[in-house]
């Protein structure tokens, strides 16, 4: 019935005026499934099935399980965090250091250190570590105290441990000294080491040693300058291992110091300074600089570094001095044997020449110029003094150059310059009367008169000081003997070709005026001479050696005091050598020992001295029983 009604409706649509024919669309190249819609409502297949929930997939199960675990873990963590639990935090370990804010250097410093454990559980294997600044010493014994460690064992929850530590700080006045206090600990079940630290600062209200420097504020160029350094003890106990170091400006030439530096010219080892003791040090030298140039001398004192005896480990005091160098109106320069050094070394019996250059540095004339040289000391022969265009007064050892001896000095024009000179023979003494540390000190003064700006005559002058030190006369007596000496004679005399003759060699050392160190005598045996290994005295055998490869004999005589061989006994050694001349030596007097020398260091002048002796031959001129015709080799 329903189908008939549907057909009728279709017919009506077919015969309507507005009906339009529906032409089929062109078939596409690819297959498409058309949608067929029913004109009536039909029941959905899904509605006819039982509506049942499908099970969860494996991925969904894992996701939901992870989400639940995360929520639970977050809740547990939050609970532990806010409730505290058994977690150990360094924030709950408190380290406090109590002590004075200032302390005198070298005085006792007492620190109260408290360690509090505010954690809910104990901290174990706890160590207290204190790092002190350089120069800190123990109160008892004065030993170095760079680092201190002490075990505090276990500190229970809520417990406070208090430690009192004493030390002595050293440094310059007003310096800040940092002490770092650390607590190292562990917790049960862990090998990790936790650290909590606290810093303590102390200011040094005073230094154990005060350092002051005094000098002239203004000096003339190339004029001798004196700098006085004073070290005073402020400590209540002895200050040990004290060093003083100087830093000189460029252009300064060190001349001497009292006491003498231990190392070089700028480092003094003052040892132990007792409480209340004052140690003065006087330094002399010359400054070469431009006009109105400033020179700064700096000094530091402190305790010697434990690792280096030439360095200051803890500084106790610093000081400096400023000197302005002026160019004098009437200047002088000196050259000793061609050297402009303030101290020159000369050998005994050497003629020393001194040239004095002078110059008028003013824009105006200078009249009545006078130069004097004042000679002092015993390092020169007074009778050997020679002067050019000047006069020598032997009564007071003064040399004078003025307008009477040199007409040019009556009036010296602006910018004019010239030179005067003199000479002498350096000496160490004579015979047994040897001088100890012979030297000559020459003080030079130049003066004149000029017209001042006010129209009045004004005296002007300048002063220089120079020194000549004389090397000791290190001597060696070398003798070759056959008939005399400590050994029995052996072999033919005169010497025969291809037969061995034993000779005795005697070396005697002497030292005139200055102490000598490391004196050594050397000699070379020619190929035809052999070492017989006999030495007298036998006790000196350990001091002499022979090298068969080079033929060198070395006698280490050691240190020798001034006057050895003159006022005191001279060291001597004798040994035997054997000469086997060849046929080619017949009619000749061959060498027995050649290249003989003696050397050592002069402790007064600092020079290394060496003297060479002629070779010893078969011509035994020092043997009283020897006949000169026996000097030559025979067949």
């Amino acid at each position: 019935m329903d189908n008939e009604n549907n057909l009728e409706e279709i017919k009506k649509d077919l015969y309507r005026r507005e009906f339009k024919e529906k032409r089929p669309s062109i078939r596409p190249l690819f297959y498409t499934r058309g949608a067929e819609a029913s004109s009536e409502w039909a029941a959905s297949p899904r509605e006819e099935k039982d509506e049942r929930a499908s099970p969860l997939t494996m991925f969904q199960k894992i996701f939901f399980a992870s989400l639940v675990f995360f929520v639970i873990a977050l809740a547990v963590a939050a609970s532990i965090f806010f409730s505290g639990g058994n977690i150990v935090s360094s924030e709950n370990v408190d380290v406090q250091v109590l002590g004075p804010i200032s302390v005198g250097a070298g005085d006792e410093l007492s620190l109260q250190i408290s360690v509090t454990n505010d954690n809910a559980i104990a901290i174990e294997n706890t160590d207290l570590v204190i790092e002190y600044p350089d120069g800190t010493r123990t109160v008892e014994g004065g030993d170095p105290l760079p680092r201190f460690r002490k075990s505090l064992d276990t500190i229970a929850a809520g417990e406070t441990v208090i430690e009192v530590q004493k030390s002595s700080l050293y440094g310059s006045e007003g310096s800040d000294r940092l002490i770092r206090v650390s607590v190292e600990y562990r917790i049960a079940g862990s090998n990790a080491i936790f650290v909590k630290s606290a810093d303590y600062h102390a200011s040094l209200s005073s230094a154990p040693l005060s350092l002051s420097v005094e000098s002239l504020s203004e000096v003339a160029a190339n004029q001798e300058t004196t700098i006085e350094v004073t070290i005073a003890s402020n400590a209540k106990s002895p200050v040990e291992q004290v060093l003083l170091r100087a830093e000189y400006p460029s252009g300064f030439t060190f001349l001497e110091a009292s006491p003498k530096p231990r190392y070089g010219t700028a480092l003094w080892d003052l040892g132990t300074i007792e409480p209340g003791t004052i140690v003065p040090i006087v330094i002399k030298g010359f400054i070469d600089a431009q006009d109105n140039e400033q020179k700064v001398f700096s000094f530091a004192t402190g305790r010697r570094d434990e690792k280096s005896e030439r360095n200051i480990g803890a500084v106790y005091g610093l000081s400096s001095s400023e000197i302005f160098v002026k160019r004098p109106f009437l200047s002088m320069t000196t050259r000793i044997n061609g050297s402009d050094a303030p101290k020159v070394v000369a050998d005994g019996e050497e003629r020393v020449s001194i040239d004095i250059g002078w110059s008028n540095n003013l824009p105006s004339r200078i009249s009545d110029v006078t130069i004097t040289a004042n000679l002092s000391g015993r390092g020169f022969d007074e009778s050997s003094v020679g002067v050019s265009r000047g006069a020598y007064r032997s009564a007071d050892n003064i040399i004078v150059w003025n307008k009477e001896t040199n007409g040019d000095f009556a009036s010296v024009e602006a910018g004019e310059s010239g030179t005067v000179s003199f000479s002498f023979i350096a000496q160490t003494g004579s015979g047994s009367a040897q001088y100890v540390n012979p030297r000559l000190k020459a003080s030079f003064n130049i003066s004149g008169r000029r017209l001042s700006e006010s129209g009045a005559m004004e005296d002007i002058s300048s002063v220089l000081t120079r020194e000549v030190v004389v090397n000791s006369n290190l001597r060696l007596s070398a003798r070759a003997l056959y008939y005399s000496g400590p050994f029995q004679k052996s072999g033919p005399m005169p010497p025969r070709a291809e037969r061995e003759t034993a000779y005795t060699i005697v070396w005697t050392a002497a030292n005139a005026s200055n102490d000598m160190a490391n004196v050594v005598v050397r000699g070379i045996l020619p190929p035809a001479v052999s070492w017989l290994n006999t030495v007298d005295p036998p006790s000196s055998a350990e001091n002499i050696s022979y090298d068969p490869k080079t033929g060198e004999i070395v006698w280490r005589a050691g240190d020798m005091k001034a006057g050895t061989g003159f006022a005191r006994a001279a060291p001597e050694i004798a040994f035997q050598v054997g000469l086997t001349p060849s046929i080619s030596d017949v009619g000749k007097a061959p060498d027995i020992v050649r290249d003989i020398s003696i050397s050592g260091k002069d402790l007064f002048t600092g020079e290394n001295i060496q003297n060479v002796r002629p070779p010893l031959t078969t011509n035994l001129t020092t043997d009283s029983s020897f006949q000169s015709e026996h000097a030559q080799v025979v067949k």
Side-chain angles (χ1 to χ4, degrees):
M1 189 66 181
D2 294 332
N3 293 333
E4 293 179 358
N5 292 332
N6 290 335
L7 291 173
E8 290 296 329
E9 289 295 326
I10 293 172
K11 289 180 180 180
K12 292 180 179 180
D13 292 334
L14 182 61
Y15 292 105
R16 288 179 182 169
R17 291 182 179 179
E18 63 273 10
F19 174 76
K20 292 183 179 180
E21 181 181 2
K22 296 181 180 179
R23 296 184 179 181
S25 59
I26 300 174
R27 181 181 179 89
L29 295 176
F30 297 96
Y31 171 76
T32 57
R33 178 179 293 176
E36 297 181 356
S38 176
S39 60
E40 297 181 356
W41 291 101
S44 173
R46 292 186 178 181
E47 294 178 357
E48 295 177 358
K49 297 181 181 179
D50 296 335
E51 295 183 355
R52 294 179 294 179
S54 62
L56 294 175
T57 64
M58 180 61 67
F59 174 78
Q60 291 174 327
K61 291 179 181 180
I62 294 174
F63 172 76
F64 285 113
S66 300
L67 183 62
V68 172
F69 176 80
F70 174 76
V71 173
I72 295 174
L74 186 62
V76 171
S79 175
I80 294 176
F81 178 79
F82 290 106
S83 63
N86 291 331
I87 298 300
V88 175
S89 172
S90 59
E91 298 296 329
N92 295 329
V93 177
D94 185 36
V95 180
Q96 292 188 355
V97 184
L98 299 179
I101 60 175
S102 65
V103 64
D107 295 342
E108 179 181 301
L109 171 65
S110 181
L111 298 181
Q112 177 178 300
I113 303 170
S114 62
V115 182
T116 302
N117 178 20
D118 288 331
N119 289 289
I121 63 174
I123 56 177
E124 302 176 351
N125 300 324
T126 308
D127 282 352
L128 176 66
V129 180
I130 306 176
E131 298 179 32
Y132 291 99
D134 292 339
T136 305
R137 321 294 291 186
T138 59
V139 175
E140 297 180 358
D143 297 324
L145 189 62
R147 186 179 178 93
F148 172 82
R149 178 183 287 269
K150 181 179 181 180
S151 175
L152 304 180
D153 296 326
T154 300
I155 301 179
E159 182 182 3
T160 298
V161 176
I162 297 177
E163 286 286 332
V164 177
Q165 293 298 324
K166 298 179 180 181
S167 61
S168 295
L169 302 181
Y170 287 89
S172 57
E173 183 175 353
S175 62
D176 180 77
R177 312 303 283 167
L178 170 64
I179 299 176
R180 172 154 294 179
V181 179
S182 302
V183 174
E184 300 177 357
Y185 61 91
R186 297 179 180 179
I187 61 175
S190 174
N191 290 327
I193 298 177
F194 301 90
V195 180
K196 184 63 178 291
S197 301
D199 290 341
Y200 168 79
H201 294 266
S203 175
L204 295 184
S205 58
S206 64
L209 300 175
S210 63
L211 177 64
S212 60
V213 182
E214 293 185 2
S215 65
L216 295 175
S217 60
E218 184 176 298
V219 298
N222 293 316
Q223 180 179 342
E224 183 176 308
T225 302
T226 299
I227 302 171
E228 297 180 359
V229 182
T230 303
I231 300 175
S233 173
N234 302 321
K236 299 178 181 178
S237 58
V239 182
E240 300 176 344
Q241 301 178 5
V242 178
L243 295 182
L244 173 70
R245 179 179 291 279
E247 292 186 7
Y248 303 128
S250 60
F252 176 76
T253 301
F254 177 88
L255 181 59
E256 63 180 2
S258 177
K260 294 181 179 179
R262 174 68 180 277
Y263 305 104
T265 61
L267 183 62
W268 287 259
D269 188 345
L270 304 179
T272 300
I273 299 181
E274 299 294 332
T277 302
I278 297 176
V279 180
I281 298 174
V282 179
I283 303 171
K284 294 183 179 181
F286 301 88
I287 306 177
D288 183 16
Q290 300 296 322
D291 186 33
N292 207 32
E293 185 177 357
Q294 184 186 46
K295 297 293 183 178
V296 179
F297 294 78
S298 300
F299 298 87
T301 185
R303 190 182 184 97
R304 185 174 63 213
D305 193 337
E306 299 295 333
K307 298 180 180 179
S308 174
E309 63 179 7
R310 300 192 182 192
N311 292 328
I312 296 177
V315 177
Y316 298 157
L318 298 170
S319 187
S320 62
S321 177
E322 299 177 354
I323 299 177
F324 284 91
V325 182
K326 297 287 187 179
R327 188 182 183 188
F329 296 148
L330 195 56
S331 64
M332 284 186 298
T333 60
T334 60
R335 298 186 69 85
I336 303 175
N337 282 351
S339 172
D340 58 359
K343 179 189 289 187
V344 175
V345 179
D347 293 328
E349 308 306 320
E350 176 187 359
R351 178 161 287 277
V352 179
S353 298
I354 300 181
D355 298 322
I356 306 169
W358 55 268
S359 176
N360 177 10
N361 301 319
L362 289 172
S364 58
R365 184 178 63 222
I366 300 176
S367 60
D368 298 332
V369 174
T370 300
I371 299 177
T372 60
N374 190 342
L375 309 182
S376 61
R378 296 192 299 177
F380 72 104
D381 182 1
E382 296 179 0
S383 63
S384 68
V385 176
V387 184
S388 172
R389 302 185 71 181
Y392 171 56
R393 300 198 309 248
S394 61
D396 53 8
N397 288 327
I398 292 179
I399 303 173
V400 179
W401 294 268
N402 54 26
K403 62 183 179 181
E404 281 75 26
T405 64
N406 188 338
D408 295 338
F409 284 174
S411 178
V412 177
E413 298 298 328
E416 190 175 351
S417 61
T419 302
V420 295
S421 62
F422 70 100
S423 66
F424 59 87
I425 294 177
Q427 66 175 11
T428 62
S430 60
S432 60
Q434 294 294 319
Y435 304 141
V436 177
N437 299 341
R439 71 174 75 192
L440 175 141
K441 188 173 183 179
S443 298
F444 304 96
N445 180 279
I446 185 170
S447 61
R449 296 172 62 82
R450 70 152 185 164
L451 189 65
S452 66
E453 296 178 356
S454 62
M457 295 301 294
E458 178 185 20
D459 292 332
I460 56 176
S461 65
S462 180
V463 179
L464 275 180
T465 303
R466 294 293 184 263
E467 186 177 28
V468 177
V469 294
V470 185
N471 283 324
S472 182
N473 190 356
L474 185 62
R475 303 178 182 177
L476 176 67
S477 170
R479 294 175 292 153
L481 308 173
Y482 177 79
Y483 295 100
S484 58
F487 309 113
Q488 292 183 354
K489 58 181 181 294
S490 173
M493 180 57 64
R496 292 183 178 276
E498 299 181 351
R499 290 185 61 182
E500 184 179 75
T501 299
Y503 292 88
T504 297
I505 307 300
V506 180
W507 284 344
T508 307
N511 175 38
S513 55
N514 310 331
D515 290 347
M516 301 291 299
N518 302 322
V519 176
V520 177
V521 180
R522 301 175 186 273
I524 301 293
L525 298 184
V529 181
S530 60
W531 170 257
L532 300 182
N533 199 27
T534 52
V535 179
D536 186 79
S539 59
S540 298
E542 61 182 10
N543 298 327
I544 192 168
S545 63
Y546 171 70
D547 186 350
K549 295 181 180 179
T550 62
E552 184 180 43
I553 302 171
V554 178
W555 174 36
R556 295 173 178 82
D559 298 342
M560 295 176 61
K561 290 290 186 180
T564 298
F566 299 93
R568 50 171 54 93
E572 184 176 88
I573 194 168
F575 55 91
Q576 267 192 323
V577 296
L579 169 66
T580 305
S582 65
I583 295 295
S584 60
D585 292 323
V586 173
K588 301 177 181 177
D591 292 344
I592 302 174
V593 184
R594 61 178 60 145
D595 297 334
I596 304 171
S597 67
I598 183 171
S599 62
K601 183 174 183 179
D602 191 316
L603 297 180
F604 172 59
T605 65
E607 295 285 303
N608 292 317
I609 299 174
Q610 182 180 35
N611 286 327
V612 179
R613 300 294 299 165
L616 295 176
T617 70
T618 55
N619 187 17
L620 310 182
T621 57
T622 57
D623 194 328
S624 59
S625 301
F626 179 75
Q627 300 178 14
S628 59
E629 62 266 22
H630 291 168
Q632 297 178 350
V633 176
V634 298
K635 289 185 179 181

